[in-house]
Amino acid sequence: MFGFVGDSLWFGRGRGGAGRRICKGAGGVRMVFTGIVEEVGKVKSLDKNDQGGVDLYVAASSTLDGVVLGDSISVNGTCLTVTSLPGDGFTFGLAPETMRKTNLGDLSKESGVNLERSLQANGRMGGHIVQGHVDGTGTIDKVEKEEDALWYTIKCDKSMMKYIVPKGYIAVDGTSLTVCDVYDDSFTFTMIAYTQEHVAITAKPIGARVNLEVDITGKYIEKLIAARLDA
């Protein structure tokens, strides 16, 4: 199955089958992620380079498979370009805007980060469409245990809350999660035991920042309605 969605060409068999989005915009081909974390990598360094930018070096293992220079990797939900492959991981260049909009500047040596390679045409859409374009950060306000599950409450700016709905999708540090409750300035989600063991957020304390990407569908609807009202 294939079709156009906005300015994008989508190939796939729906939610349970293979799929890949190829954008036709001026920026060329862009990859898409699913929010299913493949591995928790370890930060080896986060240093300023000779050009005044910042280089991030992340050690990894399984997510190195098949990766070449220039590939896109989701690091805590942020789409980054591989600039070198030292052998035991990746390096990425971080733009000033990336440092402003995400929590990557909070990282230190040995910090765990969620890693996901971009979706291949024969991959499974196990989560939801995640662009890797972080909308902003939230903070962990509360973590409560219910049997073997954990309930997280995340506080975030009200400008993002309008796109967050009960039972909707959200990417938290690149992890595809289902929203449970929605309040004026916060939302909740629950995490099963398996997920807890395979993502980085469980090592974060109360007050730590998390990257948030809301479901892009709400933004498109908002823009379409605004255009019709202004017409």
Side-chain angles (χ1 to χ4, degrees):
M1 181 181 71
F2 68 92
F4 286 98
V5 180
D7 64 352
S8 302
L9 181 60
W10 174 261
F11 293 88
R13 297 198 303 271
R15 181 175 172 82
R20 183 173 182 172
R21 187 187 67 166
I22 300 179
C23 294
K24 304 184 300 174
V29 174
R30 294 183 297 172
M31 297 301 113
V32 68
F33 305 95
T34 70
I36 303 300
V37 175
E38 295 185 277
E39 177 183 8
V40 176
K42 293 291 184 182
V43 173
K44 289 308 191 185
S45 63
L46 181 68
D47 300 312
K48 287 190 174 181
N49 56 38
D50 295 338
Q51 290 75 43
V54 175
D55 289 331
L56 172 63
Y57 174 19
V58 178
S61 55
S62 60
T63 46
L64 286 168
D65 187 35
V67 173
V68 298
L69 292 180
D71 276 359
S72 296
I73 303 290
S74 172
V75 180
N76 273 3
T78 309
C79 181
L80 299 177
T81 300
V82 176
T83 56
S84 71
L85 291 162
D88 64 343
F90 322 89
T91 63
F92 310 92
L94 304 183
E97 176 69 358
T98 302
M99 298 295 284
R100 284 191 294 267
K101 294 285 288 187
T102 74
N103 65 5
L104 297 184
D106 300 344
L107 297 173
S108 58
K109 189 173 181 179
E110 297 303 314
S111 292
V113 288
N114 294 329
L115 299 176
E116 182 191 353
R117 292 167 292 183
S118 55
L119 182 65
Q120 294 182 328
N122 62 347
R124 294 176 61 87
M125 179 58 75
H128 73 282
I129 296 174
V130 178
Q131 295 181 300
H133 301 162
V134 174
D135 291 297
T137 60
T139 57
I140 300 174
D141 185 57
K142 189 185 300 182
V143 182
E144 298 174 295
K145 189 173 179 63
E146 183 181 8
E147 297 181 1
D148 65 345
L150 291 178
W151 280 84
Y152 278 82
T153 300
I154 305 295
K155 281 198 170 184
C156 67
D157 192 273
K158 289 186 178 181
S159 63
M160 282 189 285
M161 288 303 305
K162 62 182 177 179
Y163 303 113
I164 302 173
V165 297
K167 307 309 177 188
Y169 293 125
I170 192 162
V172 180
D173 275 349
T175 306
S176 175
L177 294 162
T178 301
V179 177
C180 293
D181 304 307
V182 176
Y183 306 102
D184 287 342
D185 62 351
S186 64
F187 65 92
T188 68
F189 62 84
T190 186
M191 188 178 291
I192 63 171
Y194 178 87
T195 305
Q196 295 169 34
E197 296 171 359
H198 292 85
V199 297
I201 192 173
T202 51
K204 291 189 172 185
I206 301 296
R209 293 200 302 162
V210 291
N211 290 331
L212 301 176
E213 181 185 330
V214 300
D215 189 351
I216 190 66
T217 307
K219 292 183 177 181
Y220 282 126
I221 294 171
E222 179 184 50
K223 187 172 183 180
L224 287 168
I225 291 175
R228 291 294 298 269
L229 292 175
D230 292 340

